[in-house]
Amino acid sequence: MEGASEINLNEEIVMEILLRLPVKSLIKFNCVCRGWRDLINSRHFINMHLCLAQSTEYIIVKRLRDEDNKNVLSFHSPADESLLAAAPELELPELDEANWPLQLIGPCNGIVCLRDFHEGIHLCNPMTRKFRTLPQSSFGSPGGFLRQTHVVGLGFDSTIDDYKVVRIFESSLYDFRAEIYNLSTDSWRQVDAILPPVILRDCFDLLFNGFFHWSAGPESSPHVLSFEMGAEVFKEIKYPNGWLGEQAEPGSVEHSLVVLDDSMALILFSRGRLLDSELYDKSEQYIEIWAMMEYGVEESWVKKFFLGPFSGIQCVLSFWSNDKLLADCCKQLVSFGIQNDSKLKKYDIKGFYLQLVILKESLVSLY
């Protein structure tokens, strides 16, 4: 009996030690022995490791490299003010035959979704560097109409311990529908809902509070479309009264949805001076930031900041440490403070179609 107690104690000590190690080390320790491999790959261990406050966060930047036109993910520590590379870049497989830019969606528990523009949807755990391509949907569309995916969302349903991917598509002209993919069954199913037109924006899609969010509605009166991962219900959230684009020309204001101080925040910034019907010179740009103080309550929108002028900003990507914004400025990552600091700080992170997520590393399996 004493020997059994000693073995159990040793197993508990080993588990406590392993839970505090980074993903990179745990991947190596898979090879130590079968017992460690089974422990590290168990769902119980993966969930406990994910929940630990010591889990490392990374800023993951997706871009199309100038020199070879390849989609890559780069890894940077939020604690490093210079945002130097914290790990080797991950070259993404040629998921799109034309090697077009991939859309980065997420994160959710350390995994992200990558969408190509030939209806391909892929899951990726950047820390384990594993990929999974989702099957094509078996559902059809009315005769003669090519079904087109407009937006994709990713989330976790804690009630069934399963990951879900949501795609909203146009099944026929102006008829927007949705399908849900379950990781546990590796299959798609249809949702009985008729949805408003959705708008693909580079920096808008957001998972927050168990809901995934997209931009929807016409440019003249946009709103937020949310989807609750557990109940599988869509809801619409109105923009705040007096938002920056209310009196502006449609299309002259860019939109981003981010998290600020544990609240959902809407970032609006003007494209600059209009040169012709479609071209803006990106000078004298102003940024307006609204926070929803009580999630889902439209009356709780509060204007937090009005910043500018700036120039050259293509897209506001994310908050960083709640006091700085990260943005794409002329194909280069920049940051600037939100407390009366309009000076741009540039980083040696360049490329086309910049997107980023702030991700907590995890061992979550895609299979």
Side-chain angles (χ1 to χ4, degrees):
M1 292 297 292
E2 291 181 3
S5 298
E6 184 177 345
I7 291 173
N8 290 335
L9 177 61
N10 288 338
E11 289 177 350
E12 291 176 4
I13 292 173
V14 167
M15 184 169 181
E16 287 299 319
I17 294 172
L18 293 177
L19 282 171
R20 283 156 177 77
L21 295 179
V23 168
K24 183 178 179 181
S25 299
L26 291 171
I27 292 173
K28 293 179 180 178
F29 288 158
N30 261 303
C31 303
V32 171
C33 65
R34 182 176 179 179
W36 282 26
R37 184 192 65 196
D38 292 344
L39 172 63
I40 291 170
N41 290 288
S42 69
R43 183 171 288 250
H44 176 65
F45 182 90
I46 290 172
N47 290 340
M48 288 187 66
H49 185 268
L50 182 65
C51 292
L52 279 178
Q54 292 94 330
S55 293
T56 305
E57 282 192 335
Y58 287 92
I59 295 175
I60 309 290
V61 181
K62 188 276 306 177
R63 69 190 194 282
L64 196 64
R65 267 193 321 224
D66 287 340
E67 57 268 28
D68 56 10
N69 205 43
K70 286 188 175 181
N71 287 286
V72 297
L73 298 180
S74 57
F75 302 77
H76 311 271
S77 169
D80 179 7
E81 290 288 335
S82 60
L83 290 185
L84 297 175
E89 285 186 340
L90 173 59
E91 289 191 2
L92 300 176
E94 293 188 5
L95 305 172
D96 185 319
E97 292 180 1
N99 210 30
W100 286 11
L102 297 169
Q103 183 192 7
L104 178 66
I105 302 151
C108 177
N109 293 345
I111 62 175
V112 297
C113 189
L114 296 163
R115 174 197 169 197
D116 65 45
F117 287 87
H118 288 86
E119 296 297 299
I121 301 173
H122 320 269
L123 294 178
C124 170
N125 183 328
M127 305 314 301
T128 62
R129 300 183 174 233
K130 300 294 185 182
F131 295 86
R132 177 171 185 161
T133 297
L134 305 192
Q136 293 289 330
S137 169
S138 60
F139 301 105
S141 291
F145 193 87
L146 179 63
R147 187 163 65 169
Q148 180 183 4
T149 299
H150 282 246
V151 294
V152 173
L154 168 68
F156 179 71
D157 184 351
S158 59
T159 63
I160 58 172
D161 194 24
D162 196 10
Y163 290 88
K164 296 177 179 179
V165 175
V166 185
R167 60 188 291 264
I168 298 178
F169 58 92
E170 202 170 357
S171 66
S172 59
L173 193 60
Y174 303 121
D175 181 18
F176 287 83
R177 303 281 178 157
E179 290 178 352
I180 298 173
Y181 168 87
N182 285 78
L183 183 60
S184 61
T185 61
D186 191 32
S187 62
W188 293 92
R189 53 192 170 83
Q190 292 181 310
V191 178
D192 186 18
I194 300 176
L195 304 173
V198 289
I199 304 169
L200 175 61
R201 300 189 190 276
D202 291 336
C203 312
F204 197 94
D205 302 349
L206 176 71
L207 177 65
F208 178 74
N209 204 37
F211 293 75
F212 203 91
H213 305 81
W214 304 272
S215 178
E219 286 283 357
S220 57
S221 58
H223 54 269
V224 179
L225 178 66
S226 72
F227 176 78
E228 187 178 0
M229 285 292 166
E232 299 187 352
V233 174
F234 288 94
K235 296 180 182 178
E236 297 181 34
I237 301 173
K238 294 180 180 178
Y239 271 28
N241 292 326
W243 67 282
L244 182 65
E246 214 165 42
Q247 304 299 325
E249 289 290 327
S252 65
V253 174
E254 288 290 346
H255 312 234
S256 299
L257 203 61
V258 299
V259 177
L260 169 63
D261 287 330
D262 297 322
S263 294
M264 188 171 73
L266 178 65
I267 299 179
L268 304 151
F269 69 99
S270 57
R271 288 185 170 183
R273 186 166 56 89
L274 183 65
L275 298 179
D276 60 30
S277 60
E278 295 183 353
L279 182 64
Y280 294 82
D281 68 357
K282 295 185 174 63
S283 65
E284 295 190 23
Q285 297 174 305
Y286 292 89
I287 294 176
E288 186 178 79
I289 302 173
W290 295 77
M292 178 170 270
M293 306 310 294
E294 185 177 349
Y295 179 76
V297 179
E298 295 169 345
E299 294 76 17
S300 70
W301 284 113
V302 174
K303 186 191 290 189
K304 289 287 191 177
F305 302 99
F306 187 81
L307 310 173
F310 301 95
S311 64
I313 293 178
Q314 186 73 27
C315 182
V316 178
L317 301 171
S318 176
F319 266 100
W320 178 18
S321 302
N322 284 327
D323 62 353
K324 292 186 287 290
L325 285 168
L326 292 165
D328 178 353
C329 182
C330 303
K331 300 187 298 180
Q332 183 170 12
L333 186 68
V334 302
S335 72
F336 52 91
I338 58 175
Q339 301 290 347
N340 301 317
D341 180 10
S342 59
K343 185 178 180 181
L344 301 182
K345 180 177 180 180
K346 297 182 179 180
Y347 303 94
D348 190 23
I349 304 172
K350 302 176 182 178
F352 292 96
Y353 306 102
L354 290 177
Q355 287 183 284
L356 68 81
V357 296
I358 298 179
L359 170 149
K360 180 185 286 188
E361 67 169 7
S362 84
L363 287 161
V364 171
S365 173
L366 306 179
Y367 290 91

